[in-house]
Amino acid sequence: MTLYNPTEEAEIPEVVIRRLPIYARTLAELLGHGIGSVSSNELADRIGVTAAQIRRDLSYFGKFGKQGKGYDIAYLVSEIHRILNLTQDWDVALVGFGHLGQAIARYRGFRESNFRIAAVFDDDPEKIARPAGPEGLEVLSHARITDVVRERGIRIGIIAVPAAAAQQTAELLIAGRVVALLNYAPVVLQVPDHVCVRDIDPVAMLQSMTYYLDKSYLRAHAHANGLVEDK
Amino acid sequence: MTLYNPTEEAEIPEVVIRRLPIYARTLAELLGHGIGSVSSNELADRIGVTAAQIRRDLSYFGKFGKQGKGYDIAYLVSEIHRILNLTQDWDVALVGFGHLGQAIARYRGFRESNFRIAAVFDDDPEKIARPAGPEGLEVLSHARITDVVRERGIRIGIIAVPAAAAQQTAELLIAGRVVALLNYAPVVLQVPDHVCVRDIDPVAMLQSMTYYLDKSYLRAHAHANGLVEDK
DNA sequence: CACGTCCTGTGAAATATGTAACGACGCGAC
DNA sequence: GTCGCGTCGTTACATATTTCACAGGACGTG
Ligand SMILES: NC(=O)c1ccc[n+]([C@@H]2O[C@H](COP(=O)([O-])OP(=O)(O)OC[C@H]3O[C@@H](n4cnc5c(N)ncnc54)[C@H](O)[C@@H]3O)[C@@H](O)[C@H]2O)c1
Ligand SMILES: NC(=O)c1ccc[n+]([C@@H]2O[C@H](COP(=O)([O-])OP(=O)(O)OC[C@H]3O[C@@H](n4cnc5c(N)ncnc54)[C@H](O)[C@@H]3O)[C@@H](O)[C@H]2O)c1
């Protein structure tokens, strides 16, 4: 139906894109252990997916392995980074400097992975002008979100404000040409098509797990352990 | 093929289960605005899915709507809560009381949704015995994870320890009969089949979004705004 | 009480995603 | 150089998920 086009335009499924960072992270970990190459099988075991899936996912982008040998880890990591546009550093705007926002600003994980918190905003006069984060960053007024983000060419925003303020915050960021949002507020954001949103909602995750925690399920596994208790 | 069995055993797709909390949250929000009923179309618009999907999802569990009328919100919320086992409160064990762990312990969102942080663990002697969270909770030694969790019948754990300690922490929790894990550490946990894991990985989410942020994409949308810039 | 409108629940069709299977290649041993 | 083993990339198949589209119930109106 669709012609095979090895270079690009092949319309990659989004699930595949979401798995690539996990592949990259796991490969980098192996590299840290001094391991230089890995087969799809070994990698699959470590990640908890099938080997076929890994080979298939990678085949959307090209040929990275060697038959009989597996993948050269350093090379594959660099290829995945290239695919994901992680060869450059990305500036990120953080909005909301409350409990969560401060934890995010301090979190080393972002910096270690090409993401730099380049601007922090809040609407609390007490917090504005306070130092934020390791380098001389200070908290700016939320009134300046759109202008600052646009001037600095920031394309990624993190929303860590109360639910009631999240939609408006998204709009201010988008007005400043942000096109990727990481949203911690428990709200579904309404955004234009060209904007990409990812939600982080620990409560929803817990709530979806309790579905599997009814009594019969727990009873069954208590049995499996050879132990049955009440409550 | 499979007989229709309205009561149970119908093997519900996991994606469906993951959407239910969002439905419940959105419905509760509408209820807060004083709205008493809603059609699948209105709800779909608000959530950003199709109406057919909502109707189909709900139909796995029964018939909750009225033709011509839509869904009675209060009733539907209570039904979804029943389905998700949210009619009871759930005790949760939190392991790791660093920056993230402290933010989690303070977060009101869990408490407001049936989840109670019932025990907190850390391995730093400085932190052990310190008060943790609003009510008289104190930080316990990680050596006690398995015993305490088992004694108190806690089935849900939150992992907020460094990546290197996450697997071992999961094992201690599982040994204490925890069967649901919310994992904040950037590691793929290896767990038995009967244990349910959800990962929260903001870095991976950002990395999957940058795929869509290459130059041509940004250029295209700058055009759409009638503006083209370099950088 | 007949009619029109609105909206559900659900089969059937369309897509999307995951898995299995295998031909072909690289490499080391002999 | 040929054999044998291990592993890739890919195609064909299997399963999962979403969407379409419509029969039919509920309700208000006249
Ligand atoms: N704390 C957590 O662990 C956690 C976890 C998951 C999700 N969340 C969500 O993240 C959000 C923030 O949570 P928190 O615990 O940090 O709350 P918080 O009240 O501590 O912080 C919110 C911050 O946002 C600021 N703010 C409010 N309106 C604003 C606006 N219009 N523009 C800019 N800043 C504004 C406030 O001044 C405050 O500093 C909430 O939506 C919450 O549901 C929190
Ligand atoms: N801070 C964030 O915003 C954030 C966001 C996402 C993910 N994470 C992840 O969450 C984890 C914690 O991050 P953090 O910023 O809170 O780090 P942190 O160093 O501030 O806290 C880690 C805590 O875990 C404790 N700990 C270490 N080993 C332990 C063990 N074996 N048993 C019990 N406790 C142990 C430490 O004493 C410390 O108190 C990390 O894996 C990190 O990658 C953090």
Side-chain angles (χ1 to χ4, degrees), chain B:
Chain B
M1 203 62 60
T2 4
L3 287 176
Y4 175 53
N5 181 338
T7 40
E8 46 190 15
E9 318 290 357
E11 208 47 69
I12 317 285
E14 192 189 294
V15 263
V16 173
I17 301 298
R18 285 183 191 246
R19 279 191 294 262
L20 292 185
I22 309 303
Y23 296 170
R25 190 185 69 201
T26 308
L27 290 164
E29 218 174 287
L30 290 171
L31 207 55
H33 292 346
I35 299 167
S37 74
V38 71
S39 70
S40 58
N41 258 295
E42 294 162 340
L43 186 58
D45 284 349
R46 197 165 281 261
I47 296 181
V49 299
T50 66
Q53 180 158 78
I54 291 178
R55 294 200 300 272
R56 160 77 72 212
D57 284 354
L58 295 176
S59 79
Y60 282 105
F61 305 97
K63 304 181 179 185
F64 306 109
K66 297 227 186 309
Q67 282 113 327
K69 200 76 185 308
Y71 300 90
D72 179 89
I73 297 184
Y75 171 64
L76 185 52
V77 169
S78 76
E79 284 297 295
I80 295 177
H81 280 195
R82 187 181 53 71
I83 292 164
L84 292 175
N85 292 312
L86 296 173
T87 51
Q88 62 176 282
D89 276 4
W90 290 93
D91 282 351
V92 177
L94 168 65
V95 187
F97 197 62
H99 289 129
L100 179 64
Q102 291 173 40
I104 290 171
R106 257 195 301 243
Y107 182 41
R108 298 180 96 69
F110 291 120
R111 162 56 54 86
E112 287 161 6
S113 318
N114 309 85
F115 298 98
R116 190 188 315 276
I117 308 270
V120 180
F121 303 91
D122 203 293
D123 77 340
D124 179 353
E126 296 274 316
K127 287 183 177 126
I128 293 167
R130 262 181 32 190
E135 47 245 39
L137 212 58
E138 70 175 38
V139 179
L140 305 177
S141 161
H142 72 134
R144 302 178 56 196
I145 292 175
T146 303
D147 288 346
V148 170
V149 152
R150 180 175 306 192
E151 275 161 29
R152 302 202 191 159
I154 296 173
R155 324 303 306 232
I156 304 175
I158 300 181
I159 297 181
V161 300
Q167 178 64 36
Q168 192 206 5
T169 296
E171 287 163 12
L172 294 174
L173 288 165
I174 292 166
R177 305 222 192 101
V178 162
V179 289
L181 293 173
L182 187 64
N183 173 43
Y184 281 87
V187 188
V188 177
L189 298 176
Q190 308 286 342
V191 302
D193 278 353
H194 72 278
V195 176
C196 178
V197 178
R198 298 270 189 275
D199 294 296
I200 292 191
D201 190 337
V203 168
M205 286 189 174
L206 288 177
Q207 290 181 329
S208 72
M209 288 198 288
T210 53
Y211 173 79
Y212 301 100
L213 297 190
D214 63 2
K215 300 250 170 45
S216 63
Y217 175 88
L218 297 177
R219 198 72 49 79
H221 285 88
H223 272 298
N225 289 337
L227 287 154
V228 183
E229 298 187 345
D230 28 15
K231 165 68 209 222

Side-chain angles (χ1 to χ4, degrees), chain A residues 95-100 122-124 127 142 160-163 165 184-186, chain B residues 103 107:
Chain A
V95 187
F97 197 62
H99 289 128
L100 179 64
D122 203 293
D123 77 341
D124 180 352
K127 287 180 177 128
H142 72 134
V161 299
Y184 281 87
Chain B
Y107 182 41

Side-chain angles (χ1 to χ4, degrees), chain A residues 107-123:
Chain A
Y107 182 42
R108 299 179 94 71
F110 292 120
R111 161 56 54 86
E112 287 161 6
S113 319
N114 310 86
F115 298 99
R116 191 188 313 276
I117 307 270
V120 180
F121 302 92
D122 203 293
D123 77 341

